[in-house]
Amino acid sequence: MIASGDDWVPPTWAVPPASALELQVEKEGKPAEVVSLSRFAATVFGRNTEGVKCGAVTLNHDSISRRHAVIVHDMQQRTHVMDLGSRHGTRVDGKLLAPRKYCELRHGSSITFGASTRAYRLQPARSAKADEPRRPLGAPPPPPSSKAGGDEPAQIDLTALRRLGPAARAKLSVAEQRALQALSTLDDDDDPMAGYVDEFDEFDGAGGERGEA
């Protein structure tokens, strides 16, 4: 049996998401703010969230209940929303949820609480690094940046070096040529960097108390 809104506590299977997530808040179809979901296994939404034993977002609208709804992440990296028996309900993509029953969310799912016109759209957290251009795998590494004093050595991409053709190898710096020579003594099966592809880093957004309309 699931407890009422005021008594709700995170279930034992709830865990913080492995990949950073956030809610893009939209007012009349336009982005208004961002709510992070990355720090906690669960986040409660309501008019009075004081004392909750997880993350909390306060919603200031007359139609919002004290403990209105909750978003929970599970061990299979799924994200769910549940209405905590609110008076005016919770909707996902316009569909009214049954109270006290979990509904799985997808990236792009839009949540609305009560009669508030604000929509909360689930999405991966934006990263400052995601906006930076990434060099295609196998392309020649960029020239090392020069720093005053030359105290910090430039990093060398070993994976990219291994994939260069003869013409590109002839244009390498002395340090890169030495690294390539060292790689040539290893078999492909012994190279721990073979086939390695970096993943994007992701960072949290910020939440807080917010007015509703």
Side-chain angles (χ1 to χ4, degrees), residues 109-181:
S109 294
S110 179
I111 309 167
T112 54
F113 304 104
S116 172
T117 59
R118 293 188 178 222
Y120 295 72
R121 191 175 303 278
L122 182 68
Q123 64 185 25
R126 291 172 294 182
S127 167
K129 290 188 176 182
D131 296 329
E132 297 177 3
R134 292 177 64 83
R135 178 166 49 85
L137 191 63
S145 58
S146 58
K147 293 199 172 193
D151 296 332
E152 185 175 338
Q155 295 184 353
I156 298 176
D157 189 333
L158 300 180
T159 305
L161 285 180
R162 180 180 289 278
R163 289 171 169 79
L164 294 179
R169 293 185 181 189
K171 300 178 182 179
L172 296 176
S173 66
V174 174
E176 290 167 338
Q177 290 178 1
R178 289 176 179 172
L180 184 61
Q181 184 177 8

Side-chain angles (χ1 to χ4, degrees), residues 19-204:
S19 300
L21 295 172
E22 67 187 18
L23 294 173
Q24 172 64 65
V25 186
E26 299 174 351
K27 172 66 174 175
E28 297 178 352
K30 297 180 180 179
E33 56 186 320
V34 171
V35 176
S36 173
L37 297 177
S38 300
R39 295 184 179 181
F40 300 98
T43 301
V44 171
F45 295 76
R47 186 163 40 84
N48 184 346
T49 57
E50 183 178 356
V52 299
K53 298 177 175 62
C54 56
V57 176
T58 302
L59 306 176
N60 296 321
H61 191 275
D62 291 342
S63 68
I64 302 297
S65 299
R66 279 171 42 84
R67 307 288 168 81
H68 195 99
V70 63
I71 289 179
V72 187
H73 313 284
D74 69 17
M75 298 178 183
Q76 283 73 46
Q77 304 307 313
R78 296 174 299 187
T79 300
H80 312 264
V81 63
M82 180 174 66
D83 183 88
L84 294 174
S86 67
R87 183 171 184 178
H88 295 285
T90 302
R91 289 173 170 78
V92 174
D93 296 330
K95 182 179 180 180
L96 183 66
L97 300 182
R100 301 185 180 91
K101 290 187 177 180
Y102 287 103
C103 171
E104 185 175 354
L105 299 173
R106 306 290 184 183
H107 288 177
S109 294
S110 179
I111 309 167
T112 54
F113 304 104
S116 172
T117 59
R118 293 188 178 222
Y120 295 72
R121 191 175 303 278
L122 182 68
Q123 64 185 25
R126 291 172 294 182
S127 167
K129 290 188 176 182
D131 296 329
E132 297 177 3
R134 292 177 64 83
R135 178 166 49 85
L137 191 63
S145 58
S146 58
K147 293 199 172 193
D151 296 332
E152 185 175 338
Q155 295 184 353
I156 298 176
D157 189 333
L158 300 180
T159 305
L161 285 180
R162 180 180 289 278
R163 289 171 169 79
L164 294 179
R169 293 185 181 189
K171 300 178 182 179
L172 296 176
S173 66
V174 174
E176 290 167 338
Q177 290 178 1
R178 289 176 179 172
L180 184 61
Q181 184 177 8
L183 282 177
S184 66
T185 63
L186 298 174
D187 294 329
D188 287 343
D189 292 340
D190 296 329
D191 180 11
M193 297 298 294
Y196 180 81
V197 179
D198 287 332
E199 298 288 343
F200 288 106
D201 292 327
E202 294 178 316
F203 298 90
D204 292 350

